Amino acid sequence: MDDVTGAQLIAESLKAQKVEYMFGIVGVPIIEVAMAAQAEGIKYVGMRNEQAACYAASATGYLTGRPGACLVVSGPGLIHALGGMANANENCWPVIVIGGSADRNQETAGAFQEFPQVEASRLYSKFSARPSCLEAIPSVIEKAVRTSIYGRPGACYVDIAGDMVNASVKRSEVRVLPCCPSPPVSLADNSAITEAVSILKAAKRPLVIIGKGAAYGRAENALKEFVEMSGLPFLPTPMGKGVLPDDHPNCVAAARSRALLQADVVLLLGARLNWMLHFGLPPRFNPDVKILQVDLCAEEMGNNVSPAVALLGDINAIVTQLLQGVHKDGWKYPSNTEWWSTLKDKIAANAKISKALALQTTMPMNYYTVFHHVSQLLPHDCIIVSEGANTMDIGRTMLNNYLPRHRLDAGTFGTMGVGLGFAIAAAAVEKSGNKNQRIICVEGDSAFGFSGMEVETMCRYNLPVVIIVVNNNGIYSGVDPETWKEMEKMGDLTTIAPPVTLLPEARYDEVMTAFGGRGFLVRTVEELRSALQQSLSDWERPSLINVLIDPSSDRKQQEFPWLTRSNL
Ligand code: ADP
Ligand code: MG
């Protein structure tokens, strides 16, 4: 045992850096890397497409704070993974992608699947490198892992020349580096804290926005204390949901547009003023709004809106600083202000509209009816994965989250196809942590299609994910089977079928039963409830509930009809 191979060095280095999960698809030249990883005790999940594997690896990074690894073959394998790297980087989630590449002595000679992988990955990552020799593997992997979690988290790529996988070196000539410490935590400047606190105290219509940076930064305990001591209303972003429970009395999510429009001071905690928050600009924001921006990335400060105060550092630490500042003289934002009445009136009015839609008994069901019943049956501690246009947008308003990092969705990049990979990651993390929480994957029919074959992965590893496909026969909306038949008679479908349409009433449930999971086709409230109850009682295997809804069902009337399709 004097010698150690490249594959072993990769595996030992990842393990030393506390990378616990690896997702990928093996082939030449990286099969041995997956086997070496398993021998080191890293959990290896074989997936069906590198894109989904990379989504899964990045989700473990978000869920655990330590990056997952994604293992891919050269050329097309790495190129498929780029979508996952881009998604991780845009979401600020850590992930380590390891790609096999051409043997060094065949480079530029037209080797099998040869591609400039280090260069290709650079656009989609914050670090992209190839160890020059076996001895350099441990330090490059340590640097990749450290870079993925230090500063703003993101994707890192390590390229492994094919011939290095099975080559070996004397053990005495290499050193696996110890685990890099957790990222150093920095506090905001004290004078900035003092200024922020005084602006908050003077605010007439204050609002706290909780983003997924607060979730990633594990700021939930400090934030709970801060919100409850200060009495401030808060609004979560989609993945900020659950940092504080959605049913918290200070949550004003149901009055989102009103809260954003009229707030005079916004404490922005780990959320970017990008498209998801309408750039922080009019007409969705008050033009004079003062932004108190909390972020660990200095370059983020001032994007689109110049902040009244920039609080640079770790959210958890800064919220504690703010708490001390607010608490000093026992200040609390009063609960009887006009601002609270405005917000509460709006919450009540919106709840009424959603409830009316939810209780509609017309057939086929609409989105609101489906989510109303699903929300009644879901366990409080479940992880909700969601994607699709209407499915995700409406589902977000109707399916509550009660715990931090329990919602995974299309995210900053608006990526469709992430759902199954995320669900597999969540289930793998759950399984090894023995937490016994359900993973519910709420998918539009179009979104499901992007990575649908990953149901085989779920069945193979007995991951009891519950997939609910809210099936409206298309992208945004589809047509009913009769209309489709008429179109078929009219001529060539490629020239007349609306580009948004998918096959009406497609049997996605049978994709699941094909691999031994449970499948349900449901049209009514009773069928939906029964299928969901049966699925939730099965801890052995995954289920897919194919919910046929009205293909013309849409979102309720929006106050701002523009910009609605793509976002919140
Ligand atoms: P959302 O989608 O919820 O709006 P974004 O992904 O746009 O959230 O923003 C998250 C922000 O949080 C990023 O700008 C990132 O730099 C920041 N962030 C991540 N972790 C931390 C942390 N521990 N402390 C402070 N900021 C953080
Ligand atoms: Mg659809």
Side-chain angles (χ1 to χ4, degrees):
M1 294 301 281
D2 270 337
D3 289 350
V4 55
T5 65
Q8 280 172 307
L9 274 175
I10 295 165
E12 289 174 17
S13 301
L14 287 170
K15 184 69 182 175
Q17 299 307 322
K18 296 208 164 73
V19 172
E20 300 292 341
Y21 302 92
M22 181 182 274
F23 301 82
I25 300 182
V26 294
V28 176
I30 45 85
I31 300 180
E32 290 84 357
V33 177
M35 284 160 41
Q38 284 182 318
E40 281 303 309
I42 294 174
K43 296 184 171 60
Y44 176 79
V45 179
M47 307 274 293
R48 304 306 303 262
N49 185 297
E50 291 88 352
Q51 208 176 63
C54 199
Y55 295 145
S58 69
T60 61
Y62 176 64
L63 293 170
T64 68
R66 212 72 202 174
C70 173
L71 181 69
V72 299
V73 299
S74 39
L78 185 267
I79 287 170
H80 290 168
L82 293 179
M85 282 166 81
N87 187 68
N89 231 27
E90 293 296 321
N91 273 346
C92 314
W93 289 359
V95 67
I96 307 295
V97 177
I98 305 216
S101 55
D103 288 2
R104 282 170 293 182
N105 65 2
Q106 294 178 357
E107 262 175 341
T108 72
F112 174 62
Q113 298 183 332
E114 183 181 346
F115 195 72
Q117 300 182 179
V118 174
E119 292 91 321
S121 300
R122 206 153 270 149
L123 254 187
Y124 309 92
S125 65
K126 54 187 293 209
F127 172 82
S128 178
R130 155 195 277 205
S132 56
C133 56
L134 266 69
E135 292 84 343
I137 288 175
S139 61
V140 172
I141 287 188
E142 187 273 345
K143 181 159 179 168
V145 170
R146 183 161 41 82
T147 306
S148 77
I149 54 177
Y150 279 36
R152 175 180 266 171
C156 293
Y157 176 64
V158 179
D159 195 68
I160 303 288
D163 59 295
M164 278 169 59
V165 171
N166 290 320
S168 57
V169 63
K170 283 213 164 29
R171 214 176 247 290
S172 54
E173 281 165 20
V174 285
R175 189 168 83 91
V176 170
L177 298 184
C179 184
C180 69
S182 300
V185 171
S186 60
L187 299 179
D189 180 54
N190 268 330
S191 62
I193 293 284
T194 309
E195 206 185 334
V197 168
S198 85
I199 291 175
L200 261 184
K201 287 183 177 173
K204 290 212 159 49
R205 296 179 305 281
L207 178 67
V208 178
I209 296 181
I210 301 178
K212 67 176 170 307
Y216 181 79
R218 277 121 183 105
E220 53 266 18
N221 294 335
L223 253 173
K224 180 173 189 307
E225 210 180 332
F226 175 76
V227 162
E228 289 173 3
M229 295 276 278
S230 65
L232 295 170
F234 76 86
L235 175 74
T237 65
M239 281 195 257
K241 268 164 68 77
V243 172
L244 297 184
D246 280 333
D247 63 350
H248 191 285
N250 293 41
C251 179
V252 297
R256 182 179 189 278
S257 297
R258 189 61 52 94
L260 293 181
L261 184 62
Q262 294 187 1
D264 64 350
V265 173
V266 166
L267 174 61
L268 186 68
L269 298 167
R272 284 166 283 182
L273 292 176
N274 55 16
W275 66 276
M276 288 181 102
L277 283 169
H278 319 286
F279 313 103
L281 293 171
R284 302 298 297 266
F285 276 74
N286 169 359
D288 301 317
V289 65
K290 291 190 172 117
I291 306 279
L292 312 174
Q293 189 172 8
V294 179
D295 207 296
L296 49 58
C297 175
E299 291 90 333
E300 188 56 40
M301 301 296 183
N303 276 340
N304 299 319
V305 179
S306 176
V309 184
L311 299 154
L312 182 66
D314 177 68
I315 296 188
N316 193 30
I318 293 176
V319 170
T320 308
Q321 286 179 289
L322 289 170
L323 181 67
Q324 285 159 358
V326 165
H327 187 48
K328 232 185 276 166
D329 54 7
W331 176 84
K332 186 164 184 167
Y333 182 73
S335 57
N336 57 357
T337 56
E338 220 181 299
W339 180 225
W340 263 123
S341 325
T342 306
L343 294 170
K344 285 191 172 148
D345 290 352
K346 190 68 192 167
I347 289 171
N350 277 345
K352 220 163 129 185
I353 301 172
S354 301
K355 190 148 190 209
L357 283 162
L359 297 179
Q360 267 180 15
T361 50
T362 45
M363 283 281 296
M365 290 185 281
N366 68 40
Y367 283 104
Y368 292 85
T369 311
V370 171
F371 291 131
H372 173 72
H373 291 282
V374 168
S375 75
Q376 286 188 339
L377 295 174
L378 290 187
H380 267 214
D381 61 357
C382 69
I383 291 184
I384 299 175
V385 180
S386 188
E387 59 174 338
N390 290 325
T391 299
M392 182 172 72
D393 289 349
I394 302 171
R396 188 184 56 248
T397 65
M398 303 218 26
L399 302 177
N400 277 355
N401 287 95
Y402 303 94
L403 294 167
R405 299 169 295 284
H406 277 52
R407 179 183 167 85
L408 299 163
D409 66 22
T412 307
F413 213 25
T415 312
M416 295 300 151
V418 291
L420 276 72
F422 285 177
I424 288 168
V429 171
E430 275 297 309
K431 211 171 172 170
S432 51
N434 278 330
K435 277 192 261 156
N436 277 353
Q437 293 174 359
R438 296 313 301 235
I439 318 295
I440 314 294
C441 195
V442 186
E443 300 273 312
D445 53 328
S446 161
F448 174 76
F450 286 86
S451 305
M453 194 51 75
E454 299 300 340
V455 296
E456 188 277 329
T457 311
M458 291 178 181
C459 288
R460 184 161 23 103
Y461 292 103
N462 302 315
L463 302 174
V465 173
V466 178
I467 302 176
I468 301 173
V469 176
V470 186
N471 188 350
N472 69 347
N473 307 340
I475 305 167
Y476 305 129
S477 62
V479 297
D480 56 47
E482 291 68 41
T483 311
W484 186 256
K485 280 207 186 80
E486 288 304 312
M487 286 196 301
E488 280 177 327
K489 280 187 219 142
M490 277 162 64
D492 182 354
L493 284 170
T494 58
T495 61
I496 52 173
V500 291
T501 53
L502 294 169
L503 186 70
E505 305 197 346
R507 295 301 302 272
Y508 299 109
D509 48 306
E510 292 185 350
V511 179
M512 182 61 93
T513 52
F515 301 111
R518 302 175 72 131
F520 301 88
L521 180 71
V522 309
R523 292 173 195 271
T524 66
V525 166
E526 294 68 37
E527 287 167 350
L528 170 63
R529 292 186 72 101
S530 155
L532 186 50
Q533 275 161 339
Q534 289 179 63
S535 303
L536 288 171
S537 66
D538 191 336
W539 286 90
E540 304 298 320
R541 53 194 174 141
S543 309
L544 190 151
I545 307 172
N546 185 3
V547 190
L548 301 181
I549 65 160
D550 181 352
S552 61
S553 173
D554 208 344
R555 304 181 66 189
K556 66 179 187 238
Q557 199 63 35
Q558 298 295 302
E559 203 169 343
F560 293 89
W562 53 279
L563 258 181
T564 54
R565 186 60 85 187
S566 56
N567 56 22
L568 309 166

